[in-house]
Amino acid sequence: MRSKKSWIMALALTSVLALSACGNNGGNNTAGSNAPTETSGAELSGSILASGSTALQPLVEQVAEKFMEQNNGVDIQVQGGGSGTGLTQVAEKQVDIGNSDVFAEEKLKDADEDKAKALVDHQVAVVAIAAVAHPDAGVDNLTKQQLVDIFTGKVTNWKEVGGADQKIQIINRPASSGTRATFEKFALGTKTEDLKGSIQEDSSGTVKKMIGETPGAIGYLALSYLDDSVKTLNYDSVEPSVDNVVSGKYPVWAYEHMYTNGEPNEMVKAFLDYFLTDEVQNGDVTDLGYIPASKMQVSRDVAGNVTNK
Amino acid sequence: MQNNETMRVQDRKSRIEKHHIEDLIGRSYMSLCVLLLIISIVSMVYFVTSKGISTFAIDKVSLADFFFGTKWSPEGDNPTFGALPFIAGSFITTLLAALIASPLSICAALFMTEIVPGWGKKLLQPVIELLSGIPSVVYGFVGLSVIVPFLRNVFPGQGIGVAAGALVLSVMILPTITSVAADALSALPRNLKESSFALGATRWQTISRVILPTTLPAILTGVVLGMARAFGEALAVQMVIGNAPFIPKSLFESASTLTSVITLGMGNTTMRSPHNNALWSMALVLMLMTFLFVFIVRLLEKRRSI
C-alpha cells in the first residue's frame, strides 16, 4: 500500500514537472522568436504574437495578413483580450506586441510604473469618438458643460439642453474601457461615476444597437461605428469629422498604440514600419474607419498636451 | 518428454502475457487522466484563491467594505470596491429565474413521464435537449432583441434589468431542471403508483400526494443544479441586465451580477492592479458559491428516498 502511494506521488511529481516544462517551453518559443533569425538583408522569418485591444484587433489582423503574404517566412498571430491584457502580456514578455487604446502609463500604474517605462510606443492610428443620441432626442449639438451635466446626472431630461421632453438614458462603457477613458478625458475633462439606472455595454456594437433602440438614449461611439440609426452630436459646435480631427479642431480622439518591450527586433520592426507606410495608412487604416496617425497635424503626449506638428 | 513439459511451464511463467500489458497500459492511462483532472482542479482553486485573496492581503480592502460596501468605483481617484450590488444582483436574478423555471420544468417533466409518456416524451425530449444546446450568446441576443423591447413597452423603465435577466436565465435553466426531474420521475418504482391507484386515488391525487413528495429531493437537486447554472451564466445576462453597479430597487432597473462585472472588466484591466484583483475576489465568491451548490446537491442526494 505504501509503495503504491509513493508511486502515485512520483507520478504526480513528474507530471507537474512535465507541465511546468511545457510552460517554460512555451515562454522560450516566444522569446526565441524575438531574436532575429536571419542577418539583415536576408528574408525575414519567425513568428510574431500580438494581443490586446479588441478595437484595434481587426486592423492589426488585416495588416498582418498582407504582411505575411509579402513575407512568406513570417507568421503573425493576433489575439484580443482587451488593452489591459495586451499591456500586461507585453510587459511580461509573453507576447511581442501589446495593442492598447490608451497610453501604457495610464494602465500600468503604481507598482507597475517601471514596466511602463520599458515599453516602446508605436502609434499606428487614431480613433475619434463622438457623442451620439437616439434620433428623437431633438438635439444636434452639446457643449462640454452640457455633456458633463448629463454624464454626472445633473441634467436628466433632454428639454434641459434644448431637446424633446424626454428622460435621458445614459448608455456607458465599463469603467475600464479605453473608449470611455478617452471620452471622459477629452470630452468631459473629468472622470464620472456610474449613475443609478445607467446602462453599461461591453462592446461598441451593442452600444450602437441600444442607442438606436432606446428612446432618449445618449452614449459615445468611435467614428467608424456611426450610421443613420443614431444621431451624431456636434461637440462645442464642432462636427466630429475626420478633417476636424486631423486639424486638431475636434479634441475627442486617442491614439491606437502597439507596444513592444524595449526596442523591437528586426522582424517586429519591419512589421511596425510596414504599418506606417502610405499603403497601409491610406489603405487599410482608412478603410476600417480609423484615422491615419501619419496624417495628423497635431500630436499629443501622455499628459494630454497637444502640439502642432 | 517430461523435461519438455517443465520447460513449457517455466516458459509460460516468465513470459509477460498480452493481457498484462493491456492491463498496464489501461491502468496507467486512467491514472494519468485522473491525475491531470485532480491537478487542474487543485491548481485552478489555488490560482483563483490566491488571486482573490490579494484584494484583502495586498490592496488592504477590508472584508466588510468588499462584501457590504455598495459603492463600486474601481477606477476613480479614490477607488472603492463595494461588491454587494453584484452579489445581490446575482442572487436576485438566480432566485427569480429558479422561481419562474421550476414550476414550468416540473410540469413539463410530469407531462413527459406521467400524463402522456408516449408522444409527450417523444415530442418534449428533443425540444428540451435542443434548448440546452443553444449557445448563451443566442439567448442573450434574443433577450436583447425581443424581451427587452417587450418589457420596455409594457412596463416602466428601459426594459433592461433584473426582470429581463431572470427571464432569459429561466429559459436557459429549463432543460437542466426538466431533465433531472424527468429522470427522477421515471425512476420511481411502478408499484408505488399502482398501489395509489388501487386505493382509488385519482391521477391528480396520485401525483400530488405520492409522486411529488417521494421525488421531491431529486427534483430539488435539479432546481439547485439549474440555479448553479444561472449563477455562473455570464454572457446572456450581461447583454440584458444593464450592468449598472447598484442594487436595483425595481425589476426594471439596470443592475449587475458577479459574472457580468467580471466579463466587462477583466480584459481591460492589467494584472495585479487593484481593480483586477477585486474582479478575482468576485471570481472567488462565485467559486465558493458553486461549492455551496454542489454541497446542497450532495445533501439532497442523501435524503433521496428512492
Side-chain angles (χ1 to χ4, degrees):
Chain A
M1 202 57 216
R2 200 179 159 71
S3 72
K4 210 174 215 173
K5 254 186 194 158
S6 61
W7 181 78
I8 290 174
M9 285 301 286
L11 196 67
L13 209 67
T14 34
S15 49
V16 165
L17 282 176
L19 277 177
S20 55
C22 284
N24 277 341
N25 277 345
N28 284 342
N29 280 343
T30 358
S33 70
N34 274 330
T37 37
E38 300 280 327
T39 44
S40 62
E43 199 168 299
L44 297 163
S45 74
S47 66
I48 303 177
L49 187 59
S51 80
S53 162
T54 44
L56 187 55
Q57 193 180 3
L59 176 63
V60 181
E61 274 172 355
Q62 187 169 322
V63 176
E65 286 289 325
K66 283 172 79 173
F67 188 74
M68 284 190 281
E69 267 171 35
Q70 290 168 18
N71 300 275
N72 279 327
V74 182
D75 177 47
I76 305 175
Q77 287 211 19
V78 187
Q79 298 167 353
S83 301
T85 309
L87 288 171
T88 310
Q89 290 186 337
V90 75
E92 289 173 356
K93 299 196 176 173
Q94 290 167 356
V95 297
D96 303 301
I97 300 172
N99 301 327
S100 172
D101 303 331
V102 293
F103 280 98
E105 288 83 351
E106 296 176 65
K107 283 271 180 194
L108 298 167
K109 281 185 279 198
D110 306 328
D112 288 333
E113 220 167 313
D114 294 339
K115 284 185 184 162
K117 281 185 190 137
L119 300 180
V120 180
D121 191 5
H122 306 270
Q123 296 164 351
V124 293
V126 165
V127 165
I129 292 155
V132 291
H134 187 269
D136 295 341
V139 169
D140 299 321
N141 177 58
L142 286 175
T143 63
K144 179 175 178 174
Q145 191 54 46
Q146 284 172 327
L147 274 176
V148 172
D149 288 346
I150 289 173
F151 278 90
T152 52
K154 268 186 215 144
V155 166
T156 53
N157 195 306
W158 281 108
K159 73 178 177 198
E160 292 171 63
V161 289
D165 182 7
Q166 198 167 41
K167 205 171 163 284
I168 295 178
Q169 172 65 49
I170 296 171
I171 305 206
N172 233 330
R173 297 289 305 278
S176 54
S177 146
T179 308
R180 173 158 170 182
T182 305
F183 185 76
E184 288 184 342
K185 197 166 176 187
F186 301 113
L188 306 180
T190 169
K191 280 188 175 176
T192 58
E193 307 265 315
D194 290 314
L195 297 174
K196 207 164 166 52
S198 70
I199 293 171
Q200 289 183 43
E201 295 294 344
D202 80 329
S203 76
S204 294
T206 321
V207 168
K208 187 177 108 181
K209 185 176 155 65
M210 291 299 301
I211 293 176
E213 288 175 0
T214 313
I218 186 169
Y220 40 89
L221 288 169
L223 293 194
S224 51
Y225 283 95
L226 301 179
D227 64 20
D228 290 341
S229 68
V230 293
K231 170 83 189 152
T232 308
L233 305 175
N234 291 351
Y235 176 77
D236 274 340
S237 304
V238 180
E239 189 197 349
S241 67
V242 173
D243 290 340
N244 283 339
V245 174
V246 167
S247 66
K249 260 198 230 160
Y250 184 78
V252 193
W253 55 269
Y255 291 111
E256 290 292 344
H257 310 261
M258 291 173 78
Y259 278 99
T260 53
N261 200 330
E263 284 301 324
N265 69 46
E266 195 189 354
M267 183 177 49
V268 176
K269 190 172 184 326
F271 177 53
L272 292 170
D273 285 344
Y274 176 67
F275 232 107
L276 295 175
T277 57
D278 284 345
E279 182 197 345
V280 172
Q281 290 282 311
N282 295 331
D284 308 82
V285 171
T286 318
D287 290 347
L288 289 177
Y290 304 84
I291 300 166
S294 56
K295 236 167 96 179
M296 293 297 290
Q297 290 162 12
V298 290
S299 67
R300 186 150 66 194
D301 62 11
V302 187
N305 302 317
V306 177
T307 44
N308 281 313
K309 265 188 191 169
Chain B
M1 194 62 194
Q2 188 73 32
N3 202 9
N4 205 0
E5 191 65 27
T6 35
M7 283 270 286
R8 259 171 54 194
V9 170
Q10 268 178 353
D11 190 37
R12 193 181 294 161
K13 266 186 186 163
S14 64
R15 209 170 62 206
I16 303 170
E17 304 249 352
K18 197 178 159 220
H19 67 264
H20 287 138
I21 299 176
E22 282 175 352
D23 200 39
L24 190 73
I25 292 176
R27 189 185 291 193
S28 353
Y29 181 69
M30 293 270 196
S31 319
L32 200 73
C33 290
V34 170
L35 206 74
L36 211 67
L37 199 73
I38 293 173
I39 289 175
S40 47
I41 290 175
V42 168
S43 46
M44 210 137 81
V45 171
Y46 169 76
F47 185 66
V48 174
T49 312
S50 64
K51 288 235 117 206
I53 286 176
S54 54
T55 305
F56 314 109
I58 298 171
D59 302 324
K60 305 290 178 215
V61 178
S62 81
L63 275 169
D65 283 349
F66 184 79
F67 285 102
F68 301 109
T70 51
K71 191 157 184 287
W72 171 256
S73 170
E75 303 273 316
D77 296 323
N78 203 355
T80 47
F81 300 96
L84 187 65
F86 311 115
I87 298 171
S90 275
F91 273 104
I92 297 169
T93 37
T94 303
L95 287 174
L96 264 182
L99 274 180
I100 301 170
S102 305
L104 290 174
S105 316
I106 294 169
C107 288
L110 281 172
F111 185 80
M112 267 160 59
T113 51
E114 302 299 327
I115 298 177
V116 260
W119 63 263
K121 189 158 194 157
K122 266 194 204 125
L123 184 79
L124 266 177
Q125 193 87 36
V127 172
I128 300 285
E129 276 160 13
L130 211 69
L131 269 185
S132 63
I134 297 175
S136 53
V137 64
V138 175
Y139 280 110
F141 200 72
V142 170
L144 195 61
S145 312
V146 181
I147 294 180
V148 168
F150 171 76
L151 292 176
R152 179 161 56 222
N153 293 335
V154 176
F155 296 100
Q158 298 292 2
I160 237 159
V162 171
L167 278 173
V168 169
L169 277 181
S170 64
V171 184
M172 293 182 75
I173 64 174
L174 259 179
T176 314
I177 307 181
T178 311
S179 45
V180 174
D183 282 348
L185 288 172
S186 42
L188 198 69
R190 273 186 71 83
N191 53 12
L192 212 63
K193 216 163 58 183
E194 276 161 8
S195 337
S196 170
F197 283 132
L199 285 170
T202 62
R203 183 156 76 181
W204 169 241
Q205 284 168 334
T206 309
I207 289 176
S208 62
R209 309 264 171 84
V210 178
I211 295 176
L212 280 183
T214 6
T215 49
L216 195 63
I219 291 175
L220 283 180
T221 304
V223 174
V224 174
L225 284 175
M227 283 172 69
R229 162 124 208 246
F231 207 80
E233 172 56 39
L235 194 61
V237 183
Q238 185 224 300
M239 286 171 86
V240 298
I241 200 164
N243 307 307
F246 293 98
I247 301 172
K249 287 212 175 66
S250 107
L251 291 180
F252 308 101
E253 196 177 284
S254 178
S256 286
T257 63
L258 288 167
T259 46
S260 76
V261 72
I262 293 174
T263 50
L264 278 181
M266 202 50 110
N268 285 323
T269 52
T270 46
M271 279 279 192
R272 282 181 296 280
S273 63
H275 187 173
N276 193 272
N277 286 342
L279 294 178
W280 280 106
S281 303
M282 283 191 240
L284 180 63
V285 174
L286 270 177
M287 201 173 69
L288 293 178
M289 278 310 299
T290 317
F291 289 162
L292 186 71
F293 281 127
V294 172
F295 181 69
I296 296 175
V297 168
R298 286 297 182 131
L299 275 186
L300 286 168
E301 300 261 295
K302 266 194 203 147
R303 276 194 50 204
R304 255 177 133 148
S305 39
I306 44 159

